[in-house]
Amino acid sequence: MKYIIVTGGVMSGLGKGITTASIGRILKNRGYRVTAVKIDPYLNIDAGTMNPAQHGEVFVLKDGGESDLDLGNYERFLDISLTSDHNITTGKVYQTVIEKERRGDYLGGTVQIIPHITNQIKEFITSAASNPLEDGVTADMCLVEVGGTVGDIESMPFLEAVRQMHGELPKEDIALVHVTLVPVDNMGDHKTKPTQHSVKMLRELGIHPDIIVGRSDVVMGVGTKKKISQFCDVSHRAVISAATAADIYEVPMEMEKEGLADVLRDLLGLEKKEADNDWYRVVSREYTNRASIAIVSKYGIEDVYLSIKEALRHAGRHLSTEVDIHWIDAESYDESELAEMDGILIPGGFGNRGIEGKIQAIRFARENKIPFLGLCLGFQMAVIEFSRDVLGWEGAGSEEMGAEKNVIAILPEQEDVTDLGGTMRLGNCDVDLMPGTMIEKLYGSRKITERHRHRYEVNPEYIDEIEEAGLKFTGRSGNRMEVCELPGSDAFFLATQFHPEFRSTPTKPSPPYLGFVDACKKYRMKEE
């Protein structure tokens, strides 16, 4: 196993996750088997209880682990499925060490940051790295992204663990990559001082980076690279310019041009292999059509819906259709905004705010035959809208919102749950699809597996009446409703309780998204 450790400096949000995923894609294109680990220095056990408006999307892994959005980028770039073991947090580390201490595992010794916490970090990393991939074979490389920035007090134990790993492993089995900001001044010159200070802080901790990735809005010149090389004691060819790209999937290609593959080959003693460019051809496919899609959201930050945005783009690439996303506030939009769209998407979420706006958007889509896709909460709101506006149940709503008539009810196993973290219906669940339905045709299969994250379901008491009125539940998991659609309608109307976006990748776009974007493209062509 070879390890590539990615750290960051100067400021957060530089793109360590995309850098890490891009390195992995470069290696995978050369035939290496790659896995990834994300270290988050916060005290939370996982990202599940975090406010998405502050922290971004909560990405759900196949085993039900709730992580931050970087693990989603790893899965999309590398075409792999990860587990909660691949997300290490301070909370997980300390919880494990304290449990060991309570059991007496340390034989009465004084439990300290070094060696107990750092040993546990290393144990978590090596254990996750050795987890077999989906075909049962272990990876050749493990990418480890250390969240936060150098100098953060929360990151110190993790950086110390990295320093220890660097000393314990053979030189050719570990490479250290440091991502820093290289800003441009008003004269258009790159400023290297932030990078110099960041690397200095890293070296004071005993960590000497092998590669420096300089993030900037524009490509760094030779002079800037030489300056960073001299001041930071790294090879000139190991200073990689990472300019802001129009599309995140272009980043591996840009790093290829910078010679990163050759640098990694020399550092890790790898065999020289030619790159397979099939993935690059997929992500750079030209557009011949366009579709405008409204995402009616209750959170004002795009990163909350990152997987949805990427799944739309994956489907768009596959269909040569550029997806123009319009973010519409569920609390303050005008229906004239929806009328200009080629499709309407209602995403997931929690709580009362914006619910009525989402319901009205679904009604507008259904009545005007605009392609509609509902996800999780969007599925539940589609059932509520149909119950109100077709069946005439005025008080229809969700138990979550305290409705008079709960067509959406809490899952029985959730009724006595008090802890919020990790207690929802989470991760992969098998779903049976009815033959001859839209959803079955999209998947081309009667049995599928998709990821879930919810506490509420369609109330079994009302299923028969709803179906008799025309809304059919065409996907089920046991006695739980998973998919609804409107058979006989000449418009695309589909909603899923599961989150198909979590399994979408550029090479394998999600079937519901493919069907939705295709319907949006055709709707636009018909309107034109």
Side-chain angles (χ1 to χ4, degrees):
M1 179 67 64
K2 295 181 185 289
Y3 294 89
I4 299 172
I5 316 289
V6 181
T7 58
V10 184
M11 60 178 284
S12 60
L14 279 179
K16 291 194 304 297
I18 297 298
T19 300
T20 304
S22 297
I23 293 171
R25 187 70 245 181
I26 288 170
L27 292 166
K28 183 152 188 172
N29 285 349
R30 282 164 173 75
Y32 293 103
R33 301 173 57 78
V34 183
T35 189
V37 172
K38 172 66 188 297
I39 292 174
D40 285 304
Y42 45 67
L43 277 167
N44 305 64
I45 299 297
D46 56 40
T49 57
M50 290 182 171
N51 184 343
Q54 295 178 13
H55 193 71
E57 174 185 73
V58 176
F59 186 81
V60 179
L61 303 161
K62 67 179 182 180
D63 66 345
E66 296 171 287
S67 67
D68 81 350
L69 51 82
D70 281 322
L71 275 85
N73 284 323
Y74 301 161
E75 290 201 353
R76 287 186 283 270
F77 273 70
L78 303 177
D79 288 310
I80 57 176
S81 293
L82 301 173
T83 68
S84 52
D85 289 344
H86 295 85
N87 188 203
I88 302 170
T89 69
T90 298
K92 279 186 181 179
V93 173
Y94 276 77
Q95 182 184 57
T96 303
V97 170
I98 290 169
E99 287 172 352
K100 286 182 176 181
E101 184 273 332
R102 292 289 83 188
R103 289 197 304 264
D105 290 8
Y106 299 120
L107 302 176
T110 302
V111 180
Q112 298 175 292
I113 303 297
I114 303 172
H116 301 98
I117 295 296
T118 51
N119 283 350
Q120 188 61 56
I121 292 168
K122 290 185 290 182
E123 184 180 323
F124 274 159
I125 291 172
T126 55
S127 175
S130 63
N131 281 352
L133 299 176
E134 287 184 293
D135 60 2
V137 181
T138 305
D140 307 310
M141 311 268 185
C142 181
L143 297 148
V144 182
E145 178 193 348
V146 182
T149 58
V150 174
D152 293 346
I153 192 168
E154 297 94 341
S155 299
M156 291 300 180
F158 296 103
L159 292 172
E160 170 59 20
V162 167
R163 185 196 68 78
Q164 292 178 19
M165 285 182 68
H166 191 265
E168 292 163 0
L169 292 170
K171 184 178 179 181
E172 67 275 10
D173 283 353
I174 186 167
L176 304 178
V177 180
H178 191 53
V179 183
T180 71
L181 176 68
V182 186
V184 178
D185 66 14
N186 292 334
M187 300 297 290
D189 296 324
H190 283 97
K191 310 305 290 184
T192 66
K193 197 63 71 178
T195 297
Q196 294 177 42
H197 283 300
S198 180
V199 172
K200 181 182 178 184
M201 291 178 67
L202 199 59
R203 294 176 73 177
E204 287 173 352
L205 298 173
I207 300 173
H208 300 257
D210 301 301
I211 298 171
I212 293 176
V213 175
R215 283 284 292 110
S216 182
D217 287 333
V218 293
V219 177
M220 294 189 298
V222 174
T224 303
K225 289 185 177 183
K226 283 184 177 179
K227 192 172 183 180
I228 291 174
S229 171
Q230 291 170 344
F231 278 96
C232 299
D233 195 25
V234 297
S235 165
H236 169 259
R237 58 196 290 268
V239 179
I240 305 297
S241 176
T244 301
D247 187 323
I248 59 170
Y249 300 114
E250 294 177 4
V251 176
M253 291 183 274
E254 296 304 314
M255 289 187 165
E256 286 271 16
K257 295 175 187 176
E258 288 284 309
L260 180 58
D262 293 334
V263 176
L264 287 169
R265 186 191 69 219
D266 293 345
L267 284 170
L268 297 172
L270 304 176
E271 178 186 348
K272 186 173 183 178
K273 297 181 180 180
E274 293 300 317
D276 180 346
N277 292 319
D278 284 349
W279 191 83
Y280 295 141
R281 281 191 284 270
V282 169
V283 299
S284 58
R285 185 175 291 153
E286 294 293 326
Y287 295 124
T288 56
N289 299 284
R290 180 188 291 261
S292 296
I293 294 175
I295 297 181
V296 184
S297 68
K298 60 191 294 181
Y299 306 111
I301 300 173
E302 293 184 20
D303 274 358
V304 174
Y305 306 108
L306 182 63
S307 290
I308 292 174
K309 183 170 70 171
E310 293 305 315
L312 288 171
R313 294 173 66 200
H314 301 159
R317 284 283 187 197
H318 187 81
L319 297 166
S320 298
T321 300
E322 185 175 11
V323 176
D324 184 13
I325 297 175
H326 295 253
W327 301 94
I328 292 181
D329 190 332
E331 294 183 286
S332 61
Y333 70 86
D334 188 276
E335 286 190 349
S336 62
E337 297 176 71
L338 299 179
E340 297 175 357
M341 298 293 109
D342 305 312
I344 295 172
L345 187 151
I346 307 295
F350 299 91
N352 276 315
R353 189 169 58 83
I355 290 302
E356 293 304 319
K358 288 174 180 279
I359 292 171
Q360 290 308 308
I362 296 169
R363 178 191 58 77
F364 188 86
R366 182 178 57 81
E367 292 181 347
N368 291 279
K369 299 187 183 301
I370 299 173
F372 162 75
L373 179 63
L375 307 164
C376 196
L377 180 67
F379 165 83
Q380 296 171 9
M381 295 303 102
V383 175
I384 292 171
E385 186 277 325
F386 190 86
S387 300
R388 288 183 185 179
D389 297 324
V390 176
L391 283 160
W393 298 343
E394 293 183 7
S398 171
E399 188 174 350
E400 182 180 8
M401 290 83 184
E404 296 175 24
K405 189 182 184 78
N406 294 324
V407 295
I408 303 297
I410 193 164
L411 292 163
E413 66 269 26
Q414 293 286 320
E415 290 180 3
D416 298 321
V417 170
T418 55
D419 291 344
L420 296 180
T423 55
M424 285 187 272
R425 186 182 182 218
L426 291 163
N428 281 4
C429 291
D430 294 332
V431 179
D432 295 312
L433 306 181
M434 291 178 61
T437 58
M438 179 194 299
I439 192 70
E440 190 257 350
K441 290 175 182 175
L442 288 173
Y443 277 95
S445 174
R446 294 278 304 280
K447 289 186 177 291
I448 63 170
T449 301
E450 291 285 5
R451 298 180 190 177
H452 294 67
R453 186 175 188 252
H454 66 109
R455 295 187 194 276
Y456 295 83
E457 67 170 341
V458 179
N459 193 330
E461 291 182 28
Y462 302 113
I463 290 171
D464 290 343
E465 290 179 80
I466 292 171
E467 288 207 303
E468 286 173 10
L471 184 67
K472 301 298 183 181
F473 295 105
T474 55
R476 304 187 181 205
S477 180
N479 60 353
R480 295 204 168 114
M481 304 303 103
E482 293 281 354
V483 183
C484 69
E485 56 185 82
L486 285 172
S489 172
D490 57 358
F492 184 96
F493 188 98
L494 182 73
T496 67
Q497 181 62 76
F498 50 80
H499 289 270
E501 63 272 13
F502 288 146
R503 298 192 69 198
S504 182
T505 70
T507 55
K508 296 178 182 176
S510 164
Y513 282 86
L514 276 172
F516 177 56
V517 173
D518 188 48
C520 295
K521 176 185 74 173
K522 291 174 179 175
Y523 180 87
R524 185 186 186 99
M525 292 170 67
K526 187 173 82 171
E527 291 295 300
E528 290 177 345

